[in-house]
Amino acid sequence: MNFRYINCHTHIFNVKCAPDRFIGLPVARLLASNRTALGAVHGLMRVGEVLPFLKTGTRESIEKMRSFLKIGTNRSQEGVFELLRSNYSFGPISYVALTLNMDHMGAGKALIPFSTQLSQVADLKIIYKEDLIPFVSIDPRSGSPDQLLQLVQDCIEKKAFGGIKMYPPLGFYPFDPRLEKVYAYAQEYGIPILTHVSKGGIFYQGDHIPLDFLEPISFGGDRARWTSVEGVEGAVMDFSKNVRDTRRFLGKTWGKGRRNEEFKVHFSDPRNYHVVLKKFPRLKLCMAHFGGDESISEFIDQQKAGTPDPLNWHHIICEILRSYPQTYADVSYALWQPKVWPRMSECIDPPKGLQRDISDRILFGTDYYMTIQEESEVNLVNNFRKAIGNERFKKIAVDNARQYLEHRAPLISGTIH
Amino acid sequence: MNALLEVAISMALVYTLLSILVSYITEAWQRWKRTRGAVLRKSLETLLNDPFNKNFCELLYEHPLIRAQRKNDNHQPSYISTSLFVTAITDVLRREAVRPHIFMTTDGSTHVDEPVNRNPYEDIRLGIQSLAYSPLKVQLLSLMSETTDESSLLSRFGAWYDEYQQEVSSRFKSKARVKTMIISMLVAVIVNVDSISLVHELYRNKEMRAIVVEAAEQYVMTHSAPETPAAEDSTGTTTTVSAEEELRILRERIDEVETYLGSFGLPIGWTRDACGAQITVEPGVMGFVKEFAAILKCKFTSSSFDQMVLTIIGWVMTAIALSFGAPFWFDLLNKFVAMRSGRTRPQSQNPAT
């Protein structure tokens, strides 16, 4: 066998890398800080009769949360990576491990700052070589544009990282001008970028709302403008209205009303990438989660009803993929939902008569270990693989993935023959 | 005068036996809670704290040399020797400047090449200099400025670590003292050792005193100075003790205390008390707890306020005495026995902490 499967979307950072308030639920936070308590919960779950008052669904939810925390509280990133590998009986397989810079998400301080997380992953690359393909996470708030570029160059060229990871809901827009140099570098060398495009996931938790959240600035220092939305094309992006007008939410709010969680969709909106791709049309950009399982489900329902919504995120992503030949989407996290499987099959291998234009740019990924909250990694992969068939699976996990990960950036010592 | 000395000998024996039990329980507790490992980790987090660069403590703990000290994923070493610390931390710093080269061949396979023929001293200097400005960087650079080559650097780092560990050790001891005090109090109450009534009984009862003094003399002749139990050897490294082994050792200690104290007819323990006789004993831990609660209730309802206060003061005095530790009481016992018999016994070879 002369090929290698690639899971293009996994995480191996542990709870030490996450800030204090990364885990929202106080009980979960307590369990994350105490493995003995976590073991006790497991014990109680095993003897289910002890908790007869819990409904089966609740018990399952607790068990899933426990499984998630058990992986997350592993001593090291290497431990999490080993757990990931233990789920795969087929291979050989490589894993794209997406690092995550959570230093600026306003959720407190992490025991391990991002620099240490990165350093540990770089060490793991030396040990696991082809099996591990780390992506360096970038956040425009973490340094000057030159420092960001230097970080990316250092990771790609000296530490053999495979690409760049972005997670805008942590509090930045993808068209942030501070990212311009990184985009230019990535476009020049065909370095893959993977960005979070789904309505779920973690988000900025800071107490204050910076002005550039409400009136974002784009490349060249100008106010960001919509580029391809019907009716508002060319209009300035202004989210301050949403903040002022939404006062009905309770709980932690931003001054005039809008909750952080509600606001995060502005950061992860796929329309933001029109701005980026207009300037960098050859950027190798993967929109993770394909818009998220909710958007895909809605898209399926709308298709059935014959009432397509041009603002549906999955639809927008498909349009982006059609417009920009270097853009990709991965099925991570969304693949847990059986409802989306036929749609995935359709995208990977469209029925006769439909365009095949995006089928080469769908990637396989699971979003380990975030998905443990829905399904075990083994079941997730096996069920999905069975549903779409081996050929399609090979296409997205081998051929498309290899094409996506290939880049021309020089490694410090070059390539030897 | 002789009677006072005999009472002192008897009390010293009681305190010696009980403080051995206390020190064993304290050690077992610390071992179970992995206190030493946690204190060491916390102290190194403080020593290597660098908010502007990396968590060097984490990198140190994940260094293969330190990882090898771990028994499992949850275990944290309770002791890191100076040489191990210095070797690991200098390697962590060196890697800030010098990393292995990663090569990719045309078939896509990855190869790693470790740089060779480099000057380790210069690499460490480069590693430190590559850090962003931080208090730790300033500290490391100032340590480095006092050195000229690798060996002087290693010894300077070693001295730095040792100085800090001494401070940590004293902090740990003061924390441990509080725990010892609490356990001493529990032992005093559970075993019902009321120093006031004990001294009173010993002073009053000549026959009892004679038996205890004779046993004390025997004890001194047949035992060496008590050591800290098996948890730690002289280097501070933790030895593995299973739960069964732990219970077995604890049972032995309790048996020893029972053998000595039970045979003297001293007013110690609950069952000999008037209240103890009225309680029905149930098996198991819950039975013990119920029985103990019932005895306490009976004791305090059948006593006057003055008696209650005296008993509590007696327990507190016992707890304070036990917190001095077994070596202290054994040493004192030795001196009292020598004083009484007019001879000196050679000091123990291995006085414990």
Side-chain angles (χ1 to χ4, degrees):
Chain A
M1 190 164 52
N2 198 20
F3 62 86
R4 193 170 252 277
Y5 291 98
I6 298 168
N7 181 340
C8 283
H9 195 134
T10 71
H11 298 284
I12 60 167
F13 61 81
N14 59 1
V15 83
K16 288 181 192 171
C17 306
D20 304 336
R21 299 193 303 277
F22 172 79
I23 299 169
L25 209 61
V27 176
R29 219 180 292 157
L30 180 77
L31 292 175
S33 64
N34 192 332
R35 275 180 79 94
T36 313
L38 206 56
V41 170
H42 179 57
L44 284 175
M45 291 295 118
R46 288 290 288 267
V47 283
E49 302 79 38
V50 176
L51 305 166
F53 52 88
L54 286 184
K55 289 177 186 167
T56 313
T58 315
R59 208 176 289 161
E60 273 173 13
S61 304
I62 294 174
E63 184 54 31
K64 279 173 182 170
M65 189 218 284
R66 190 201 68 81
S67 307
F68 172 74
L69 292 175
K70 196 183 171 204
I71 298 170
T73 53
N74 202 289
R75 174 185 55 83
S76 65
Q77 299 196 73
E78 185 176 8
V80 178
F81 184 58
E82 282 296 345
L83 283 174
L84 165 65
R85 277 154 57 97
S86 69
N87 287 294
Y88 288 80
S89 52
F90 60 91
I93 181 158
S94 300
Y95 306 88
V96 170
L98 305 167
T99 58
L100 203 50
N101 184 347
M102 293 171 273
D103 291 355
H104 308 277
M105 69 179 284
K109 219 176 132 189
L111 178 66
I112 298 180
F114 179 62
S115 52
T116 312
Q117 184 193 145
L118 216 50
S119 177
Q120 289 183 335
V121 173
D123 286 345
L124 292 181
K125 174 68 184 168
I126 294 167
I127 300 167
Y128 292 97
K129 300 185 177 76
E130 294 92 10
D131 289 356
L132 179 70
I133 306 169
F135 271 36
V136 51
S137 171
I138 51 164
D139 186 317
R141 297 162 295 179
S142 63
S144 68
D146 286 328
Q147 284 171 326
L148 283 171
L149 179 63
Q150 200 186 353
L151 171 76
V152 171
Q153 281 179 321
D154 182 60
C155 286
I156 303 278
E157 296 177 16
K158 294 182 184 170
K159 295 170 183 167
F161 276 47
I164 300 163
K165 161 74 174 168
M166 293 203 309
Y167 201 100
L170 294 182
F172 65 91
Y173 291 96
F175 46 72
D176 191 303
R178 289 169 289 187
L179 295 171
E180 207 171 340
K181 286 188 174 177
V182 172
Y183 287 146
Y185 171 73
Q187 180 170 262
E188 186 184 353
Y189 292 106
I191 293 162
I193 298 179
L194 190 140
T195 183
H196 176 92
V197 190
S198 136
K199 289 176 183 171
I202 54 170
F203 51 89
Y204 176 77
Q205 293 183 24
D207 292 329
H208 71 289
I209 177 162
L211 184 65
D212 58 0
F213 278 18
L214 305 177
E215 298 170 357
I217 305 295
S218 180
F219 305 127
D222 299 331
R223 287 284 300 278
R225 290 172 186 276
W226 297 110
T227 61
S228 65
V229 180
E230 285 175 41
V232 289
E233 175 115 18
V236 166
M237 288 186 194
D238 185 355
F239 304 119
S240 54
K241 186 174 176 293
N242 300 29
V243 173
R244 274 195 294 274
D245 289 351
T246 313
R247 294 165 190 241
R248 65 179 184 280
F249 297 109
L250 298 172
K252 188 175 165 185
T253 56
W254 272 340
K256 291 169 183 168
R258 191 100 181 166
R259 286 174 80 173
N260 299 36
E261 193 169 1
E262 308 286 329
F263 196 87
K264 72 175 174 184
V265 291
H266 294 313
F267 298 122
S268 35
D269 194 319
R271 289 175 292 172
N272 292 334
Y273 295 94
H274 281 297
V275 183
V276 177
L277 290 163
K278 197 176 170 190
K279 174 137 192 168
F280 300 99
R282 289 181 293 108
L283 203 61
K284 201 187 264 182
L285 182 73
C286 172
M287 274 168 267
H289 315 301
F290 225 153
D293 54 286
E294 275 182 35
S295 295
I296 303 172
S297 294
E298 281 168 18
F299 177 86
I300 295 165
D301 295 340
Q302 287 158 5
Q303 242 187 353
K304 270 185 193 163
T307 53
D309 175 10
L311 292 182
N312 174 283
W313 282 20
H314 177 66
H315 173 80
I316 295 171
I317 292 170
C318 288
E319 287 303 310
I320 290 175
L321 259 65
R322 286 192 185 99
S323 308
Y324 298 95
Q326 291 280 48
T327 50
Y328 290 75
D330 79 28
V331 298
S332 62
Y333 208 105
L335 82 172
W336 81 273
Q337 179 65 268
K339 188 181 174 183
V340 311
W341 294 343
R343 171 66 189 156
M344 293 295 138
S345 295
E346 191 181 273
C347 290
I348 300 161
D349 187 13
K352 279 180 185 171
L354 286 179
Q355 285 181 304
R356 295 178 64 90
D357 53 357
I358 66 168
S359 62
D360 293 341
R361 284 173 286 131
I362 312 293
L363 305 172
F364 166 69
T366 55
D367 204 6
Y368 179 85
Y369 53 99
M370 307 302 139
T371 34
I372 296 296
Q373 296 168 93
E374 312 291 354
E375 186 63 271
S376 73
E377 183 78 356
V378 180
N379 290 346
L380 202 67
V381 177
N382 290 345
N383 295 344
F384 181 69
R385 194 178 177 180
K386 204 174 159 188
I388 66 167
N390 274 336
E391 277 307 303
R392 290 192 188 110
F393 184 76
K394 185 171 170 284
K395 183 176 172 59
I396 62 169
V398 179
D399 305 334
N400 294 0
R402 195 166 50 194
Q403 177 184 283
Y404 170 65
L405 290 170
E406 270 172 6
H407 66 76
R408 303 176 296 278
L411 283 179
I412 187 138
S413 304
T415 302
I416 58 165
H417 297 269
Chain B
M1 182 64 194
N2 204 31
L4 279 178
L5 187 59
E6 283 176 0
V7 169
I9 290 171
S10 307
M11 291 304 288
L13 177 67
V14 171
Y15 290 151
T16 303
L17 292 169
L18 289 173
S19 30
I20 289 173
L21 186 65
V22 166
S23 67
Y24 183 76
I25 296 170
T26 310
E27 282 294 323
W29 172 257
Q30 281 170 353
R31 200 158 38 217
W32 184 66
K33 290 290 288 177
R34 301 190 180 102
T35 319
R36 280 177 204 274
V39 169
L40 180 64
R41 168 85 195 213
K42 209 171 172 188
S43 72
L44 286 174
E45 291 274 4
T46 312
L47 179 70
L48 302 173
N49 177 37
D50 188 342
F52 303 106
N53 289 289
K54 293 178 180 174
N55 184 332
F56 287 105
C57 180
E58 178 70 16
L59 294 177
L60 178 83
Y61 269 73
E62 288 304 317
H63 191 280
L65 280 171
I66 307 294
R67 264 165 63 171
Q69 304 285 306
R70 291 180 158 171
K71 293 185 184 74
N72 55 49
D73 275 359
N74 295 330
H75 177 255
Q76 308 222 64
S78 59
Y79 175 75
I80 295 174
S81 72
T82 307
S83 63
L84 203 60
F85 170 81
V86 170
T87 313
I89 196 67
T90 49
D91 191 47
V92 167
L93 292 169
R94 191 179 63 83
R95 280 175 181 273
E96 287 299 305
V98 187
R99 293 194 60 82
H101 293 161
I102 300 182
F103 295 88
M104 282 184 80
T105 47
T106 42
D107 64 354
S109 57
T110 312
H111 302 269
V112 178
D113 197 3
E114 190 79 33
V116 288
N117 298 328
R118 294 191 60 96
N119 180 343
Y121 182 70
E122 274 311 306
D123 286 346
I124 295 166
R125 179 193 295 281
L126 287 172
I128 297 171
Q129 278 171 347
S130 73
L131 301 176
Y133 175 83
S134 72
L136 181 68
K137 181 180 179 178
V138 172
Q139 206 174 358
L140 294 172
L141 282 176
S142 58
L143 286 172
M144 208 155 179
S145 68
E146 297 166 19
T147 65
T148 49
D149 55 13
E150 193 191 0
S151 95
S152 60
L153 174 81
L154 296 183
S155 53
R156 186 65 195 94
F157 271 37
W160 173 55
Y161 177 68
D162 284 342
E163 283 160 21
Y164 187 71
Q165 283 307 303
Q166 272 175 16
E167 205 185 304
V168 171
S169 175
S170 67
R171 244 183 286 158
F172 178 76
K173 277 179 187 162
S174 66
K175 275 189 178 178
R177 218 167 285 143
V178 176
K179 281 192 193 108
T180 308
M181 188 67 205
I182 293 167
I183 292 169
S184 300
M185 191 67 208
L186 285 173
V187 167
V189 175
I190 291 170
V191 185
N192 189 18
V193 187
D194 166 3
S195 290
I196 295 173
S197 65
L198 199 56
V199 169
H200 183 255
E201 186 65 26
L202 281 166
Y203 190 74
R204 200 175 55 82
N205 192 333
K206 198 178 171 185
E207 289 79 33
M208 184 192 284
R209 215 166 58 219
I211 296 168
V212 180
V213 168
E214 196 188 328
E217 283 171 346
Q218 280 265 309
Y219 187 86
V220 166
M221 297 297 284
T222 54
H223 289 72
S224 55
E227 290 175 36
T228 313
E232 305 231 342
D233 61 23
S234 56
T235 59
T237 48
T238 311
T239 52
T240 310
V241 181
S242 66
E244 292 78 23
E245 181 70 0
E246 203 90 79
L247 281 173
R248 191 189 61 76
I249 298 170
L250 182 62
R251 170 51 57 193
E252 271 179 23
R253 298 275 182 269
I254 293 171
D255 284 349
E256 190 179 36
V257 173
E258 267 184 348
T259 311
Y260 273 95
L261 302 185
S263 57
F264 304 150
L266 292 167
I268 288 177
W270 291 100
T271 46
R272 288 189 172 274
D273 195 284
C275 287
Q278 299 168 18
I279 312 296
T280 325
V281 180
E282 283 179 39
V285 178
M286 282 315 290
F288 171 78
V289 174
K290 276 184 195 167
E291 181 194 356
F292 189 67
I295 291 172
L296 270 182
K297 193 179 169 191
C298 165
K299 169 112 184 157
F300 284 113
T301 46
S302 62
S303 307
S304 67
F305 179 75
D306 291 354
Q307 278 177 317
M308 265 164 58
V309 171
L310 271 181
T311 305
I312 291 169
I313 293 172
W315 285 341
V316 171
M317 284 170 71
T318 307
I320 293 169
L322 297 187
S323 68
F324 291 164
F328 170 83
W329 286 112
F330 184 79
D331 191 39
L332 207 61
L333 178 65
N334 229 330
K335 283 176 183 159
F336 286 155
V337 169
M339 206 187 289
R340 185 172 178 272
S341 58
R343 63 180 171 80
T344 43
R345 188 175 181 272
Q347 288 293 308
S348 168
Q349 295 292 312
N350 189 14
T353 51

